[in-house]
Amino acid sequence: MLMLLPISARLSGQAIRPSSSKSFSFGRSLTLRSSSTAAAATASSAANNNANNNNFSIKLPTVAALVGASLLTGYCVGSVHTEQITEIQKDRALPKGERGCCSCDEERSKEEATKLTDAQTQLSTKLQKIVGTSHVHDGLHESSSTGKFLKGARLGYGKALCIVQPGTLEQAIKCLQAIVDAGCVVVPQGSNTGLTGGSVPRNDTEDTRPSVVLSMKRLDAHFPIDDGKRVVCLAGVGISTLASSISNWFPDRESHSIL
């Protein structure tokens, strides 16, 4: 008992202040154990990192295969495109001779397309025989007598081969047939209010056929039927004319009931 007490005290002192060879060995063994534990932890961490890197990395042969496949695909697509362009351009030929003006060629082709046929040239004379000379006008030149037929009250303007004004339904039918037989465009025209511009000829279309204005102003007959419940009006009757006639036929009728 007396011998153990100094030893235990010496060991406890060695743990606090290493001063002897035994205590130094004891402290060194503790240090070596700590170093070996840290080294083992570091090695384990490095191994885990390497494993993670191997899981997410792409091997060099795989990268080389992907690059080669991409290059081969691009080469094949480029070859097909080049063959298509060569095939398209194979039948093309450069123009020979003196180079012309595109706008001049377009104007020349338009003039050739609008060249009048014999039937169209003789149409004005044929219409004069149907309705009379005073009711057929030249629509190619605007004047004080033709301007009201070529220009809408609100919008629209154009030129026509001629302007014809039938006075009866029979004349209107004959004029319509003559215009169609001559290969012309028929432009029927009533009072020419020009709300949509459709009652006047239009020269800005792709249709190169000459137009003929079929004016219905002389067809202004109108009369009531069914005891005044309805009114028959031909194409040349305007709203103001109809209102005036109804006020004379039915003095007690309100003006808003006309329509």
Side-chain angles (χ1 to χ4, degrees), residues 8 13 21 30 34 58 76 100 108 116 182 196 208 211 220 244:
S8 62
S21 59
L30 292 176
S34 299
I58 301 176
C76 294
R108 189 181 300 108
L116 299 179
T196 60
T208 58
S211 301
D220 56 355
S244 177

Side-chain angles (χ1 to χ4, degrees), residues 78-205:
S79 300
V80 173
H81 183 65
T82 303
E83 292 177 359
Q84 291 178 350
I85 294 177
T86 304
E87 187 68 21
I88 293 173
Q89 295 179 347
K90 182 173 63 175
D91 298 331
R92 293 184 179 181
L94 295 175
K96 299 180 180 180
E98 185 179 357
R99 186 175 179 179
C101 176
C102 297
S103 59
C104 296
D105 295 339
E106 291 178 359
E107 292 178 359
R108 189 181 300 108
S109 60
K110 188 175 182 180
E111 290 177 358
E112 293 175 355
T114 56
K115 186 178 180 180
L116 299 179
T117 63
D118 294 338
Q120 293 170 350
T121 304
Q122 300 172 4
L123 179 61
S124 180
T125 303
K126 190 174 182 179
L127 294 175
Q128 289 177 1
K129 294 179 180 180
I130 298 174
V131 300
T133 306
S134 60
H135 300 299
V136 178
H137 310 280
D138 182 12
L140 296 177
H141 303 89
E142 184 179 358
S143 62
S144 58
S145 60
T146 62
K148 57 185 177 181
F149 300 103
L150 302 176
K151 185 176 182 180
R154 292 188 58 189
L155 54 90
Y157 173 77
K159 293 183 179 181
L161 178 62
C162 59
I163 302 164
V164 59
Q165 292 181 281
T168 63
L169 291 177
E170 183 180 2
Q171 290 181 356
I173 295 172
K174 292 181 179 180
C175 289
L176 178 61
Q177 188 63 55
I179 297 171
V180 173
D181 292 341
C184 297
V185 178
V186 182
V187 183
Q189 188 179 97
S191 296
N192 193 20
T193 54
L195 295 178
T196 60
S199 60
V200 294
R202 302 292 294 270
N203 304 126
D204 56 351
T205 62

